[in-house]
Amino acid sequence: MNDVTDSQELIIEGASCGSCVNKIETALKSVSGVDYAEMNLAQRTVTVSGSVSIDRLVSAVESVGYGAKPMQSDTVADAQQEKEESDQAHYRRLMRNVFLALSLGVPLMIYGLVTGDMSVSTGPQRMAWSVVGLLTLAIMAFPGRHFYVGAWHSFKNHSANMDTLIALGTGTAWLYSVVVVLLPQALPEMSRHVYFEATAMIIGLINLGLALESKARGRTSEAIKRLIGLQPDTARVIRDGHEMDVAIVEVRRGDSVRVRPGEKIPVDGEVIEGQSTVDESMLTGEPMPVEKVRADTVIAGTLNRSGSMVFTATRIGQDTALARIIGMVRRAQNSKPSIGRIADLIAGYFVPTVMIIAVVSGLIWLNFGPDPQVAFAIVSVTTILIIACPCALGLATPMSVMVGVGKAAEAGVLIRNGEALQTASKISAMILDKTGTITQGAPKITDILLVDGDRARLSEREVLRWVGSLEAGSEHPLAIAIADSVKEKNIKLSSVNGFNSIGGQGVEGICEHRRLLFGNEKLMRAHNIDIDTFIEPAQRLASAAKTPIYFAVDDKLAAIIAVSDPVKADSIEAIRRLQRDGIRVLMLTGDNRATAKAVADQVGITEFVAEVLPEDKAAKIIELQNEGEIVGMTGDGINDAPALAQANVGFAIGTGTDVAIESADITLMRGSLHGLADAIAVSKATLRNIKQNLFGAFIYNVAGIPVAAGLLYPLTGMLLSPVIAGAAMAFSSVTVVTNANRLRFFKPAAH
């Protein structure tokens, strides 16, 4: 049965406007077992989740007049390739239709412009136009077939769409022309005018518009293509002591994988041998290469720059960070913000409204128009039906969302859904966690104050060597931070004897025949070490959110070492960017008030709350929301998950925990708060682009209908040609797609 138990993507054929989307989604949702169905008109795909057979899904789509086939590929790369091949085949079919239709329409139009005679009076004229009528019927039956099939299915389902308007318009023009050819005497002489060229030209031009739109639509998937292109096709694995190149799908979890300079990392893993620098810019947007040593994590798709290393494969296939990122981007591109759902709703009502307007206009021309009344009525009705097609309206939102989400992904910002994309542009208050969000989240040695002793003052390297040797046996978080700082400087450690950890005070031991003490003021006082003259410098360090630790050698103070969680290098400027945009920035932290105030002062935040529990963060967000604020929350830890879920938009630092990332609407892969400002900037640009598209598409339709109905005829004596209407309607969709593609060149404000 091929049951869908999770999520399945179908490629849709024949959908062209917002009302098509509504019909397809409604048909799929009505199938028993379907939990969720959402179509992306721009991509011509629909994502369905639930427990139901593929055959039933395809049948449901076909029952409302559209074609559907399941995406067969297992991997994201293959699925994208399959989609591209389907799009290319569709484009070729459309261009063939254009060629056939315009091969008849263009000569007829030129004939009409040159001779001005498209009337039927004599027997030879009837014979000639009969042949033209049959050729036009062939155009309707082959290049234009999909319009009429779609219209018929819509009629059977008691609905109407773009195909309905085109079929009615071109069909009316053709039928009227056939009546003129077969029964010219039944019509007034002035009404014996044929419109075969209008039917052929409209079918050709609308197919051309669809083809150009399809071609332009392919550019909106560039972000996905680039992400897919990051992963190499093969990996060099080490099995049984031998290195061999295998296809990426054959890599197993736990395999040892070697990556050489200049190669892309094939799967996620943990370094077990060697060291290198890795360019992670395509995933994080961060241009500086990251140093990788033993126990560090490497991510599939990133580029190994300088050294050779071996790592253990920890995540493969669809579990890699790259595959998850691609999945998030695709899902976000499929989703609709509320403004898009409104556009679909409008499009659904727009078509029947236009049909009513066309009928009313035709009746007015028949009853009150000049001679030939029938001809004027036919032209008016046909032109209204053609020019009012809401293709551009249906495309306005999904095209912009696709490009906007892709653009954000290029900047290392992963947007989970279209609603978050829209809401982010309205954020008025942003709450920031402190540890790991504003700060680096890992304590480091920030200051070393050396003290003159009985002999020459110790150097920083000597102090670090002894302190690092002493702390190597401790599991205290500060000890780990000190050990990491010593490790970064490539200082060789010495062995320590008599190591002793003194609870609440510090540690002691013997190194190179010297007695070492490292701890707080209590430890120093307990061993009668004079620190009085250094209490004030220590207090200054403490007031700057740093933890001062005293280091004594042979019962003499040798240095004060300050450890702190330093503010990220770009946090200050990123917070200023948010404040310049009029966003109220607050900091919430579980840390003590003194440390919180020091960090807040350093980064320019005036509102902060310290010593808060996870539920307190969520409560603060509710408080702000009750004040009317649209609240964003940015965090990186498990303790931030409730607040991330409560916020209007949750932003997770991608270097944080999986729980935080899963709870958030938007993930910042590079861990910089500039990504936060970039996300909001992309959100605003995308929403602006959607509004431009909607305004252009809707105003075009609304303004075009009165002109098509003949509003300007009393003033100018001219009536809009159905051919011009067909060309304008077709190219309005191309305009929307082109405007959406402008987003690809958008760049957030420099920082």
Side-chain angles (χ1 to χ4, degrees):
M1 286 286 289
N2 292 332
D3 277 0
V4 177
T5 55
D6 199 4
S7 180
Q8 174 70 29
E9 196 165 36
L10 301 176
I11 300 174
I12 302 297
E13 296 176 352
S16 52
C17 63
S19 59
C20 301
V21 172
N22 288 333
K23 282 197 292 181
I24 291 168
E25 289 181 348
T26 301
L28 288 170
K29 288 173 183 175
S30 67
V31 176
S32 176
V34 170
D35 300 323
Y36 166 92
E38 189 163 55
M39 180 174 172
N40 183 337
L41 178 61
Q43 280 277 58
R44 300 292 197 270
T45 59
V46 62
T47 302
V48 185
S49 64
S51 182
V52 61
S53 71
I54 296 295
D55 293 339
R56 288 176 62 199
L57 297 177
V58 171
S59 296
V61 175
E62 290 176 344
S63 71
V64 290
Y66 304 94
K69 59 181 181 180
M71 194 82 80
Q72 301 286 354
S73 306
D74 295 326
T75 67
V76 177
D78 288 344
Q80 187 68 21
Q81 181 66 27
E82 184 182 346
K83 179 67 177 63
E84 286 183 19
E85 288 172 359
S86 176
D87 286 345
Q88 288 166 5
H90 179 62
Y91 173 75
R92 287 193 296 270
R93 283 196 303 272
L94 289 172
M95 289 306 296
R96 181 200 63 201
N97 292 343
V98 171
F99 175 76
L100 292 173
L102 295 187
S103 293
L104 177 65
V106 170
L108 285 176
M109 176 167 271
I110 293 173
Y111 172 78
L113 292 172
V114 172
T115 67
D117 185 15
M118 303 285 280
S119 61
V120 179
S121 300
T122 67
Q125 285 178 329
R126 290 180 64 189
M127 289 294 293
W129 285 116
S130 295
V131 173
V132 171
L134 289 173
L135 291 173
T136 306
L137 182 62
I139 296 299
M140 297 166 71
F142 295 102
R145 181 177 183 276
H146 55 101
F147 298 128
Y148 303 101
V149 170
W152 173 245
H153 280 292
S154 291
F155 174 75
K156 287 197 300 181
N157 287 281
H158 311 292
S159 62
N161 62 3
M162 183 194 92
D163 292 339
T164 307
L165 300 183
I166 295 171
L168 282 174
T170 56
T172 302
W174 184 82
L175 282 173
Y176 176 76
S177 300
V178 169
V179 170
V180 170
V181 171
L182 297 179
L183 302 168
Q185 67 279 4
L187 298 169
E189 189 173 340
M190 292 181 65
S191 299
R192 298 172 189 172
H193 189 285
V194 293
Y195 294 97
F196 292 127
E197 92 289 352
T199 298
M201 286 294 292
I202 288 166
I203 289 173
L205 289 172
I206 293 177
N207 272 309
L208 178 61
L210 292 173
L212 294 175
E213 172 206 314
S214 176
K215 196 76 170 174
R217 200 169 60 231
R219 293 199 297 270
T220 62
S221 301
E222 288 299 320
I224 290 284
K225 291 177 190 173
R226 275 197 288 271
L227 286 171
I228 290 172
L230 291 177
Q231 192 170 41
D233 297 324
T234 62
R236 176 165 287 253
V237 300
I238 304 172
R239 292 176 183 164
D240 301 323
H242 299 288
E243 293 189 12
M244 62 186 81
D245 289 326
V246 300
I248 196 74
V249 293
E250 295 177 18
V251 178
R252 300 190 294 260
R253 191 175 284 105
D255 271 344
S256 294
V257 182
R258 182 178 295 282
V259 61
R260 292 164 294 193
E263 292 181 339
K264 289 180 180 177
I265 293 168
V267 295
D268 293 0
E270 184 177 301
V271 178
I272 57 174
E273 180 186 312
Q275 64 180 62
S276 181
T277 54
V278 176
D279 182 353
E280 298 182 339
S281 60
M282 279 302 291
L283 287 178
T284 66
E286 188 63 53
M288 289 296 292
V290 180
E291 187 173 353
K292 299 291 182 181
V293 295
R294 185 181 176 85
D296 282 345
T297 299
V298 290
I299 303 171
T302 54
L303 180 64
N304 184 36
R305 283 286 189 195
S306 57
S308 175
M309 57 185 173
V310 178
F311 65 89
T312 300
T314 55
R315 287 179 175 174
I316 58 175
Q318 297 300 310
D319 292 330
T320 65
L322 178 60
R324 291 165 65 202
I325 288 166
I326 292 171
M328 284 180 67
V329 173
R330 286 172 66 89
R331 285 194 298 274
Q333 289 183 333
N334 279 344
S335 66
K336 294 186 188 78
S338 54
I339 192 170
R341 289 191 288 272
I342 291 170
D344 285 346
L345 191 65
I346 292 171
Y349 286 104
F350 194 67
V351 174
T353 302
V354 166
M355 293 171 68
I356 293 170
I357 293 171
V359 170
V360 171
S361 174
L363 290 172
I364 292 172
W365 278 102
L366 282 173
N367 289 282
F368 304 105
D371 290 330
Q373 292 166 319
V374 175
F376 277 121
I378 292 293
V379 170
S380 172
V381 169
T382 302
T383 307
I384 289 173
L385 292 174
I386 298 301
I387 203 167
C389 287
C391 315
L393 192 62
L395 284 168
T397 301
M399 293 305 304
S400 297
V401 169
M402 278 186 67
V403 183
V405 169
K407 189 69 187 175
E410 290 176 13
V413 177
L414 303 182
I415 298 174
R416 188 179 291 274
N417 55 61
E419 197 63 56
L421 181 68
Q422 178 174 340
T423 308
S425 67
K426 304 173 185 175
I427 288 174
S428 58
M430 179 63 71
I431 291 179
L432 304 177
D433 175 47
K434 178 181 76 69
T435 306
T437 300
I438 295 175
T439 66
Q440 293 180 10
K444 291 185 177 180
I445 292 177
T446 56
D447 302 85
I448 300 177
L449 302 182
L450 300 175
V451 178
D452 287 322
D454 295 336
R455 62 186 185 88
R457 188 163 68 168
L458 296 174
S459 68
E460 281 193 9
R461 288 187 69 84
E462 284 180 291
V463 168
L464 287 174
R465 178 164 56 83
W466 278 341
V467 168
S469 300
L470 189 60
E471 290 285 29
S474 174
E475 294 182 356
H476 190 279
L478 290 182
I480 295 170
I482 290 165
D484 287 343
S485 297
V486 173
K487 179 178 166 185
E488 287 175 5
K489 296 181 181 294
N490 295 317
I491 296 174
K492 187 175 181 180
L493 302 181
S494 301
S495 59
V496 174
N497 299 315
F499 175 81
N500 182 34
S501 178
I502 305 167
Q505 294 186 15
V507 293
E508 63 180 348
I510 306 296
C511 181
E512 298 175 5
H513 309 293
R514 312 295 291 272
R515 183 166 183 258
L516 308 180
L517 290 169
F518 188 52
N520 58 20
E521 184 178 339
K522 283 184 182 178
L523 182 66
M524 298 296 111
R525 299 291 188 198
H527 289 79
N528 298 315
I529 295 172
D530 182 15
I531 59 170
D532 291 342
T533 55
F534 295 96
I535 292 294
E536 187 179 340
Q539 289 176 340
R540 281 201 303 270
L541 290 170
S543 65
K546 300 174 182 179
T547 302
I549 308 172
Y550 298 94
F551 176 57
V553 179
D554 292 337
D555 296 328
K556 298 286 186 181
L557 186 66
I560 299 176
I561 295 178
V563 177
S564 78
D565 180 7
V567 168
K568 292 176 183 175
D570 53 5
S571 286
I572 297 173
E573 180 54 34
I575 289 168
R576 283 179 186 158
R577 282 181 68 192
L578 294 172
Q579 292 169 334
R580 283 197 298 266
D581 285 341
I583 295 172
R584 176 183 172 189
V585 181
L586 305 89
M587 184 182 77
L588 299 187
T589 178
D591 214 336
N592 64 71
R593 179 172 175 80
T595 302
K597 185 177 188 311
V599 172
D601 289 344
Q602 187 177 347
V603 298
I605 293 177
T606 55
E607 295 181 76
F608 68 91
V609 183
E611 300 174 10
V612 294
L613 298 172
E615 55 269 28
D616 296 331
K617 293 183 181 181
K620 181 63 177 179
I621 290 172
I622 293 171
E623 179 187 321
L624 290 169
Q625 288 169 333
N626 290 337
E627 293 173 8
E629 302 278 12
I630 305 297
V631 183
M633 167 69 197
T634 308
D636 74 323
I638 292 174
N639 63 322
D640 295 318
L644 289 168
Q646 176 62 46
N648 296 93
V649 183
F651 296 82
I653 301 296
T655 51
T657 66
D658 286 347
V659 174
I661 293 170
E662 290 302 318
S663 302
D665 302 297
I666 297 175
T667 301
L668 312 178
M669 289 302 295
R670 62 182 171 178
S672 165
L673 290 182
H674 275 301
L676 193 62
D678 289 346
I680 293 172
V682 169
S683 169
K684 288 181 177 179
T686 303
L687 199 65
R688 196 161 52 241
N689 194 271
I690 289 172
K691 289 177 179 177
Q692 290 166 356
N693 282 348
L694 287 173
F695 178 82
F698 197 67
I699 290 299
Y700 161 83
N701 287 126
V702 171
I705 289 171
V707 176
L711 188 67
L712 299 180
Y713 183 81
L715 301 175
T716 64
M718 293 181 64
L719 196 59
L720 190 64
S721 164
V723 175
I724 301 299
M729 187 280 291
F731 285 99
S732 69
S733 296
V734 178
T735 302
V736 164
V737 175
T738 304
N739 186 54
N741 270 297
R742 285 195 312 111
L743 269 177
R744 294 193 302 131
F745 306 105
F746 171 77
K747 291 183 179 178
H751 53 266

